Amino acid sequence: MWYSPDVKDWYKINTTIDANKSGNDIYKVPAEILKTAVQSFNRSYDLYYDFEIEWKFQVNKFSRYYVYFHFAEIQQLAPGLRRIINVTLNDENILSEPIILEYMKPVTISNKNATQGFVRFSIRATAESDAPPILNAIEVYKLVTDLNSPTDIKDGMYVFHLYIYLSILLFNSPGNLFPSISRLLHGYA
């Protein structure tokens, strides 16, 4: 779901130019999302968000969450000017050093350890920044740890073997129908 909240003191910006999708973008954020962003009115204001207050989303106090922040500088800043930001999650800085955003180059950061109990973040421009903080997208994942599944642990292997069988039967080669299965076969050969 792509949801764009209307948050006080945030304003939306966009571009028609696609972000540079270099080979090292492991998150594969859709171009349409990277073309839009929110920013604060000036460098003095943070982008602050509390899921319980703003989204009316009741987080479970005992659950753990992983949060991914997606950034791309979509404004062409004047030569020599930079947008430098810090990100805090639940009042803890999740960066070892501030991020310097580069024009149309996507950056994704996340918390290394799951946060527990609530999801609240702040994106702040550093004192050295020439532009206000920006955010293109955020993803929040609840960690599910219930491993008491009623299915048999071998169920996945039956599906795996069915894909291999169909691939060999239909195309006489395990790599033609499902290339990822071909790569897996080398590990099981």
Side-chain angles (χ1 to χ4, degrees), residues 90-131:
N90 299 338
D91 301 321
E92 292 186 26
N93 195 345
I94 62 172
L95 299 170
S96 57
E97 59 186 46
I99 297 174
I100 301 172
L101 296 177
E102 296 180 47
Y103 184 63
M104 301 310 286
K105 290 191 179 176
V107 175
T108 298
I109 62 166
S110 68
N111 50 324
K112 289 182 176 64
N113 299 312
T115 184
Q116 185 166 344
F118 53 94
V119 177
R120 178 179 61 228
F121 70 84
S122 179
I123 302 170
R124 172 177 297 130
T126 67
E128 298 81 22
S129 182
D130 299 301

Side-chain angles (χ1 to χ4, degrees), residues 154-170 173-174 177-178 181 185:
K154 293 181 249 170
D155 286 349
M157 287 308 294
Y158 297 136
V159 173
F160 176 73
H161 290 296
L162 177 63
Y163 279 149
I164 294 171
Y165 176 75
L166 287 174
S167 183
I168 293 171
L169 180 68
L170 296 174
S173 169
L177 182 58
F178 302 102
I181 298 299
L185 276 175

Side-chain angles (χ1 to χ4, degrees), residues 31-189:
E32 288 304 311
I33 291 177
L34 292 175
K35 288 180 181 182
T36 62
V38 293
Q39 74 176 28
S40 66
F41 286 107
N42 63 44
R43 293 181 315 132
S44 301
Y45 289 92
D46 297 353
L47 291 176
Y48 176 82
Y49 198 84
D50 185 324
F51 274 78
E52 280 192 327
I53 294 171
E54 299 287 346
W55 203 27
K56 314 288 189 267
F57 173 70
Q58 187 67 35
V59 293
N60 183 324
K61 302 297 179 201
F62 300 104
S63 293
R64 295 169 49 199
Y65 300 90
Y66 283 97
V67 182
Y68 292 81
F69 298 90
H70 303 288
F71 303 95
E73 177 60 76
I74 63 174
Q75 293 180 319
Q76 181 75 55
L77 301 177
L81 299 183
R82 302 179 304 171
R83 189 183 313 262
I84 309 169
I85 57 175
N86 267 319
V87 179
T88 60
L89 179 61
N90 299 338
D91 301 321
E92 292 186 26
N93 195 345
I94 62 172
L95 299 170
S96 57
E97 59 186 46
I99 297 174
I100 301 172
L101 296 177
E102 296 180 47
Y103 184 63
M104 301 310 286
K105 290 191 179 176
V107 175
T108 298
I109 62 166
S110 68
N111 50 324
K112 289 182 176 64
N113 299 312
T115 184
Q116 185 166 344
F118 53 94
V119 177
R120 178 179 61 228
F121 70 84
S122 179
I123 302 170
R124 172 177 297 130
T126 67
E128 298 81 22
S129 182
D130 299 301
I134 191 174
L135 173 65
N136 297 80
I138 181 173
E139 296 178 87
V140 178
Y141 294 95
K142 180 179 177 181
L143 181 63
V144 178
T145 58
D146 184 12
L147 300 179
N148 296 324
S149 175
T151 62
D152 189 313
I153 195 162
K154 293 181 249 170
D155 286 349
M157 287 308 294
Y158 297 136
V159 173
F160 176 73
H161 290 296
L162 177 63
Y163 279 149
I164 294 171
Y165 176 75
L166 287 174
S167 183
I168 293 171
L169 180 68
L170 296 174
F171 292 96
N172 203 20
S173 169
N176 287 341
L177 182 58
F178 302 102
S180 58
I181 298 299
S182 178
R183 286 190 294 271
L184 288 173
L185 276 175
H186 294 294
Y188 289 99

